[in-house]
Amino acid sequence: MFEFAMPPAFILITGALLVAVARPAMRPVIALLAPLMTLYAIWQIPDGVQLTTTFLGYQIELVEGSALRRMFATVFALMAFGGVLFAFRQSKWYELSAAMIYAAGAIGVSFAGDLITLFIFWELMALFSTVVVWCGGTESARAAGIRYAIVHLTGGLILKIGIEGIYVATGSLEIQALTLDSFAAWMIFIGVLINAAAPPISAWLADAYPESSPMGGVFLSAFTTKTSVLALILLFPGQPLLVWIGLFMIFYGIIFALLENDMRRILSYSIVNQVGFMVTAIGIGSELALNGAAAHAFSHIIYKALLFMSAGAVLYQTGVRKCSELGGLFRTMPLTTVCGIIGALAISAFPFTSGFVSKSMISSAAGYEHLEIVWFLLIAASAGVFLHAGIKFPWFVFFQKDSGLRPPEAPWNMRIAMVLFAAACIVIGLFPNLLYGLLPYPVDYEPYTAEHVVTQLQLLLFAGLAFFVLLPLMKRTETISLDVDWIYRRAIPVVAGKIDRGLNTANEDASKRLLGLGTSLMKGLKESSYRYFSSRAPMGHTALWMAAVLALFLVMTLII
Amino acid sequence: MTPEREEAIREGASHWLVQPRTIRLLWWISGLVLALTIVAQIWITVHAYFSIDSWPGFYAGFGFLSCVAMVLFAKVLGWVLKRPDDYYVEPTQLAPNVLEKNGQRDDV
């Protein structure tokens, strides 16, 4: 038993640095132990501010405990462990190391007692998640990583403006519920929402995550958006605007996932969709809704990581990412198929999976608050989740047609990680009190009533029927869908290129003309200089030149 | 699965799951389960949050129709938004004068 000595995030950062310098044989041991030690440390943190220090003259609170914070940190640490387990034999050491610091950033944000600490760990996440994207190793990963970094550093800047504004206005850096009544609060709101992939800046997620390595995607799916959910719960609970932002994200995710062909991009859009459920819940703001948002974040991280693991295993074994070229993999990758299906059922909130016990809290909260339109939209969206992620992903990747691919089953460490996370999805589904016990507010909610199970089955199974009936309409096309990122990937480069080329041509023209003018002037002077300067030139000319030079002197003395 | 069977599948023998007989059976079973979830409402009272959500088969109909609506909407949106998947793939852009120096300037 060791006493609580340093923030849990620092344990993971230390682990990541040790991975970097250790002998290759020691790296997996350190990488697997560090998240577990972090997890232990997380559970040693009691409620309230635990550790303060001085940073640039500010009193900052590095660690503040509460049930909600511990819950998020727990799932981040579990995720770091599962991700490392999935990746440690395949990833390069620097990918593991970067992913661990990324996870440490998320844990640091979870325990941040004030806005400065939050900001520092927020930026740590931005930097090292970019490294994880770059570890994809391709030219498109490099470019996507740069776009990702620009979006997140801009978001960080906006957040920082907000934090400074709050400090100037109130003199307090406390993390507390804010209202959108000042410029600074709006800046914080926008800065946090950019990380949640809220509209109109949602495109970065589906742009960057699918370019990472098969292992990197597992890490990326978990941290950035969910720390943002935590920040929203802490800073803007019950902000009505969030309901509509969340609903937009939900349907944006579904529609774009339906249009998509790249398997990990489908999953990326469904992250936006799922975070939309949480954002809506935070907007509803009742105790049940906030519990629902937190519970859904917890179960979402696990089943989404599981989905990214199964997609990653397929990508690792086949090198193919397009649904149009995949299919029929259940023959030789049965375990990956089963785990992928469990993840897909969990994301669809099928009874007896983790999604069922968490997502139903959100729609019930909308019902209890008498938000009729919101409730109907949430129910329609639940059916849509089954459509775009619950069936579409496993169907097109593992079944569909026989693509002729016969990859062997994933490596053993990937299989163990998938089985563990699949088991977690089912255990939480069967014993929801394990999850409910971690929630910030006391839970008085029973997910398993006969009517709830029956109505949910009706909803999902008929959504499934719709999928197979409409299958001809869903034929995969080798396309991508335009999004807001078109503005910075196409429109701005085209306009900037036009301006650049225009200025270049103008520059060349101008210098050509100027030179031509000078040349002809000199030529004229040279050829007909006798007219002005020779002894045969008329007296009048010389007098004129003298006058001109004297006038010039006069003007110069006046000015200087 | 025995290694021989696995080998046969690797070579292209059709898996029991994709044989027409199994697929027909699966459709029948699914149909039965679908019907069952609606019939179950005879015994299980569904309490309404609002009004129409306690109707028999409301969740089935609402789920099905909203999925149809979403797929159709996606289809329509796809006509506007879909582009070939190499849409953003471009050769590295250098400044025009550099391209000219390398003799690669063919776009202007």
Side-chain angles (χ1 to χ4, degrees), chain B residues 21-87:
Chain B
R21 211 161 53 98
T22 327
I23 293 175
R24 259 199 312 279
L25 192 69
L26 281 176
W27 272 104
W28 276 111
I29 295 174
S30 324
L32 205 68
V33 173
L34 288 177
L36 212 66
T37 57
I38 297 185
V39 173
Q41 266 189 298
I42 297 174
W43 300 286
I44 295 163
T45 333
V46 174
H47 298 89
Y49 287 107
F50 302 103
S51 55
I52 60 166
D53 48 314
S54 63
W55 291 0
F58 162 79
Y59 285 84
F62 188 65
F64 185 82
L65 291 178
S66 47
C67 283
V68 172
M70 279 184 267
V71 170
L72 292 180
F73 181 71
K75 193 84 191 159
V76 172
L77 203 66
W79 288 332
V80 184
L81 293 184
K82 275 190 176 181
R83 293 289 182 280
D85 59 6
D86 58 355
Y87 179 76

Side-chain angles (χ1 to χ4, degrees), chain A residues 268-556:
Chain A
S268 300
Y269 283 122
S270 90
I271 294 180
V272 181
N273 160 278
Q274 293 296 304
V275 173
F277 277 97
M278 299 165 213
V279 171
T280 306
I282 299 166
I284 294 170
S286 64
E287 285 194 358
L288 179 61
L290 293 178
N291 266 345
H296 203 46
F298 193 100
S299 45
H300 167 79
I301 287 178
I302 292 173
Y303 60 66
K304 181 57 70 173
L306 176 60
L307 285 167
F308 263 91
M309 283 177 185
S310 65
V314 168
L315 182 63
Y316 186 74
Q317 295 297 67
T318 64
V320 179
R321 51 193 283 183
K322 293 177 190 172
C323 284
S324 52
E325 294 166 13
L326 287 164
L329 298 184
F330 74 94
R331 291 177 178 81
T332 54
M333 300 182 81
L335 186 85
T336 308
T337 308
V338 169
C339 290
I341 290 175
I342 291 174
L345 292 178
I347 196 174
S348 320
F350 232 83
F352 312 113
T353 63
S354 55
F356 180 74
V357 301
S358 57
K359 197 202 276 172
S360 49
M361 294 177 105
I362 297 176
S363 48
S364 295
Y368 292 140
E369 300 297 309
H370 307 291
L371 301 165
E372 193 161 354
I373 299 172
V374 176
W375 185 84
F376 278 102
L377 288 174
L378 284 176
I379 296 298
S382 301
V385 172
F386 192 44
L387 191 69
H388 85 273
I391 309 186
K392 183 179 171 177
F393 168 72
W395 172 257
F396 280 109
V397 173
F398 298 113
F399 300 101
Q400 198 198 170
K401 56 177 201 276
D402 185 1
S403 60
L405 296 168
R406 294 286 184 274
E409 187 56 273
W412 62 265
N413 62 312
M414 290 190 173
R415 292 206 298 269
I416 293 178
M418 285 192 283
V419 168
L420 279 181
F421 273 46
C425 287
I426 292 173
V427 167
I428 294 173
L430 291 177
F431 308 103
N433 287 330
L434 289 176
L435 178 59
Y436 292 172
L438 302 174
L439 291 174
Y441 300 103
V443 180
D444 175 27
Y445 184 76
E446 177 47 61
Y448 288 110
T449 59
E451 61 165 318
H452 188 196
V453 172
V454 165
T455 51
Q456 185 73 3
L457 281 176
Q458 267 189 26
L459 186 74
L460 296 180
L461 294 176
F462 275 85
L465 178 67
F467 178 86
F468 286 105
V469 169
L470 298 172
L471 207 50
L473 283 180
M474 307 232 250
K475 200 171 150 13
R476 295 295 81 229
T477 49
E478 302 224 334
T479 52
I480 56 155
S481 310
L482 296 186
D483 201 332
V484 173
D485 63 347
W486 179 83
I487 294 173
Y488 54 81
R489 296 179 71 178
R490 258 305 160 86
I492 292 179
V494 164
V495 173
K498 281 238 165 72
I499 293 173
D500 183 40
R501 270 195 290 277
L503 286 180
N504 238 315
T505 329
N507 182 15
E508 282 167 17
D509 280 0
S511 46
K512 225 177 259 170
R513 264 189 214 156
L514 208 65
L515 283 176
L517 194 71
T519 314
S520 55
L521 210 70
M522 293 310 288
K523 212 165 129 196
L525 269 178
K526 218 161 98 186
E527 282 172 359
S528 49
S529 58
Y530 63 90
R531 284 205 202 152
Y532 309 105
F533 302 114
S534 78
S535 57
R536 274 174 288 172
M539 194 63 171
H541 274 170
T542 315
L544 189 68
W545 280 114
M546 295 292 277
V549 170
L550 281 173
L552 191 69
F553 265 105
L554 197 64
V555 171
M556 278 171 72

Side-chain angles (χ1 to χ4, degrees), chain A residues 27 55 62 80 100 122 133 135 169 191 248 257 283 317 319 383 467 498:
Chain A
R27 278 177 186 148
F55 177 75
L62 272 180
M100 286 167 76
W122 198 269
V133 174
C135 285
F248 183 92
Q317 295 297 67
F467 178 86
K498 281 238 165 72

